[in-house]
Amino acid sequence: MTLYTSMPLELVLDGVNTQPGPFVDVVHGGVKMQVEPVSPGIGRIVRLLECPLDAYLDPQYAPGTIVTYASTVG
């Protein structure tokens, strides 16, 4: 693989060997999503797991959005 970039290689490959997480599966507004906890009851959306297709176009469910949640699923 060839990678053409003007950025230093250290910045491009930063974090490539680290494991992401911990993640929590929550249901918010009828959408099951994976969130990364930021503080108790507050998390950042990582990805949507189970939802209607139009939820992918809704900005409130975009990855990186902060959501509040009360309980976890599985």
Side-chain angles (χ1 to χ4, degrees), residues 1-12:
M1 176 176 95
T2 304
L3 177 65
Y4 296 100
T5 179
S6 60
M7 295 176 56
L9 188 60
E10 295 80 23
L11 289 177
V12 173

Side-chain angles (χ1 to χ4, degrees), residues 21-24 34-44 46 69:
F23 298 126
V24 178
Q34 189 176 54
V35 299
E36 179 181 16
V38 176
S39 63
I42 299 174
R44 181 177 292 113
V46 176
Y69 60 92

